[in-house]
Amino acid sequence: MTDTTTRTESRIHRGAAEAGAPRLTALPGVAHEDTAPQRVLEVERYDTPDHRLAAAGIALALHRGDDEQGYWLLELPDGDSAEQLRVALAPDAPPNPEVPGELTELVRGVARKDPLHPVGRVRRVRTETRLRGDGERALGTVVHDHVTIATQGRSTQGVAWTEVEPRDVADDGLGAALRQRFAEAGLRPATSAAEAELDRLLRPVARPSRGSRGGGKRGKPGSAGAALTEYLAAHVERIAAEDLRVRRGEPDAVHQLRVAARRVRSALQAYRRLLDRDRTEPLVDGLRELGRALAPARDAEVLHERIRTSLADLEPELRLGPVQAQVTRHYARVEAEAAAAVLATLDGEAYARLRTALDDLVQRPPLTKRAARPARKELPAHVGRTARRLDRAVTTAVDPGRPDDERDVAVHSARKAGKRLRYATEVARPAIGKDAKRFAKSLKGLQKALGEHQDTVVARDALRELGALAHADGENGFAFGVLHGRDTARAARIEEDLPQMWAEAWQRRNRRWLR
């Protein structure tokens, strides 16, 4: 069984390992102290041999203590939450239990196929002293720990200290007196917990690649290479974070994983002249295949919501038959199959190789000599080349002589070119500033229209299928036909508006910074 807990912070004082317990007698208002029997508490950290979880900010640990049921705790780098996942340790578990399958699945995207085994331990020998006032009134507790931290494996490190923590202190006066006693014992406020110190020992240290110059492996500050690698690193990290969210079944996670992958792929394509293409082209192919594998799950989610909402907004006299129930049944199956396919993809060998290659991309960016040029001078040329690609695609899409059966494909090609331009502009924006921001803003209306057009294309195919299924089941599919007709009309209006929308976005004042 998995549940969640929330971390809380406490005021811990720390001193040398040989420091004794602070003197707790004759404290103001304290009638006597009750000292509980000594206990041993252990937190054993699990990771891959190369500490890949620690590098990703993930902590997987087994917590055990005297006369207490042990439990597994998985801490994920959610960023905006202190949520942790807990799984109880079976009472008959062996001394060296295997990591529960439900936790292994969550971190598979980071661990890949490598086994998880103990890599470090925090051991506490604990004594708790309860402070009592008159009438046995509880005034607080002082927890005294002798802490030992050690890493395990081929290279071991260790550290030890004494720490104390006051808990549930009744009043400020007693709290001040306790802090004075702690200081007398040589204990000072700690800046980090023992688990954080173990994190530091386990986390791999990034080392510059051999032969790096100037600003190091990610390029000299202010260079085009530095701007590009910073963007790539941020979105490779985003892929790792969204992988975890997908495995947890969180809303919109598949979409965000797909967007992060597309951002990395678009940046590699738009700025290919700054990179060694022998290393980046396989990545582009792998990211493209990942996007295709994730597409059915995302499409099913979007289509279900779009059709459900459209049916709800349809005039009652046009909503004939149990169409909402049919849509619910249909997409329950489609979404379940698509979700299973996504997890199969994330557990596959190709995805594991892709994630390893992305990690290597960030650690050893394959920058060319051209990447050393100043970002403000170099990046506009790459964005300009990508913008001209969109210009050609839009010109093709709005060509009045293009056959109707080719128009949807042409508009979709313009949409993809627009996304690549959007992400290329994101790379340049920190270095270029207001001009890049204005340019990105000018494209928003066009991008939204192109996206809406593609939504109508996909929706019309789905509505046609739903109508055919309704007919085969002896139901009334009229409502699906109505929605199909409205989407056809919406697509036609967008196609009519595209030339004017593009002319407004492509004004000289918006693109004057491009090269």
Side-chain angles (χ1 to χ4, degrees), residues 31-55:
H32 67 94
E33 309 86 35
D34 291 334
T35 301
Q38 199 172 72
R39 296 187 297 147
V40 176
L41 306 174
E42 289 187 341
V43 177
E44 193 162 38
R45 185 70 63 81
Y46 281 66
D47 208 329
T48 61
D50 58 355
H51 300 173
R52 203 171 295 148
L53 298 188

Side-chain angles (χ1 to χ4, degrees), residues 114-134:
D114 288 343
L116 299 171
H117 59 81
V119 295
R121 177 183 290 121
V122 177
R123 186 175 190 269
R124 290 181 170 88
V125 179
R126 171 166 294 180
T127 303
E128 294 188 15
T129 301
R130 297 175 179 82
L131 307 179
R132 303 287 186 181
D134 294 337

Side-chain angles (χ1 to χ4, degrees), residues 340-363:
V342 166
L343 292 179
T345 295
L346 299 189
D347 288 341
E349 294 286 350
Y351 179 72
R353 289 193 299 270
L354 174 63
R355 288 289 304 277
T356 299
L358 288 172
D359 290 344
D360 189 52
L361 173 74
V362 173
Q363 292 298 320

